[in-house]
């Protein structure tokens, strides 16, 4: 039996490729964001609202005080914008904390436009 050598050819310099397959990445849509809102009431002390903003939203005392004044004057203020899960968690934390301290503070969330 006679073995014939097999020639390996390098096709990199070859223009015989019929076409190049390219994979297109599907455009991923950014998940919706949700605004967390604090609502004014006539009973929750301003100091408590400032404490909530510092504790649950990581605000400085000055930032928290400004937001608290907005809530007091306008009746509502956006205190942060988050993913659905984080917004839901923050609302729950604020509501639980307010109830434990016997304050009627209301915190809600709504989809950002």
């Amino acid at each position: 039996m006679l073995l014939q050598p097999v020639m390996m050819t390098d096709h990199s310099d070859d223009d015989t490729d019929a076409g190049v397959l390219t994979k297109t990445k599907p455009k991923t849509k950014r998940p919706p964001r949700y605004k967390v809102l604090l609502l004014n009431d006539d009973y929750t002390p301003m100091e408590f609202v400032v404490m909530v903003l510092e504790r649950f939203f990581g605000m400085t005392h000055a930032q928290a005080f400004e937001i608290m004044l907005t809530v007091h004057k306008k009746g509502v203020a956006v205190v942060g914008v988050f993913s659905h899960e984080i917004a839901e968690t923050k609302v729950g934390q604020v509501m639980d904390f307010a109830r434990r301290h016997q304050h009627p503070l209301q915190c809600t969330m709504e989809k950002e436009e």
Side-chain angles (χ1 to χ4, degrees):
M1 185 158 111
L2 184 64
L3 292 176
Q4 298 269 335
V6 177
M7 300 287 281
M8 298 298 283
T9 58
D10 182 14
H11 292 287
S12 62
D13 296 334
D14 199 332
D15 288 333
T16 60
D17 288 340
V20 177
L21 289 178
T22 57
K23 217 175 191 183
T24 57
K25 253 187 171 179
K27 287 212 177 205
T28 52
K29 216 166 118 179
R30 187 176 171 164
R33 309 275 288 165
Y34 290 81
K35 297 185 281 189
V36 175
L37 309 163
L38 270 188
L39 307 175
N40 189 42
D41 64 73
D42 294 332
Y43 303 101
T44 304
M46 292 178 176
E47 297 80 23
F48 184 80
V49 174
V50 170
M51 180 175 56
V52 163
L53 293 168
E54 291 171 345
R55 181 173 183 156
F56 296 106
F57 298 95
M59 294 183 187
T60 65
H61 187 75
Q63 291 169 324
F65 191 80
E66 284 299 313
I67 296 289
M68 176 277 298
L69 285 179
T70 302
V71 172
H72 181 69
K73 291 175 184 175
K74 296 189 176 183
V76 65
V78 175
V79 296
V81 180
F82 308 96
S83 69
H84 185 271
E85 294 77 17
I86 293 174
E88 200 171 50
T89 299
K90 298 254 185 216
V91 168
Q93 289 173 329
V94 170
M95 295 297 290
D96 289 345
F97 191 70
R99 267 190 301 253
R100 280 199 315 269
H101 289 86
Q102 299 178 343
H103 294 300
L105 182 64
Q106 293 295 301
C107 185
T108 62
M109 61 188 262
E110 66 181 39
K111 197 171 187 177
E112 189 178 47
E113 308 290 314

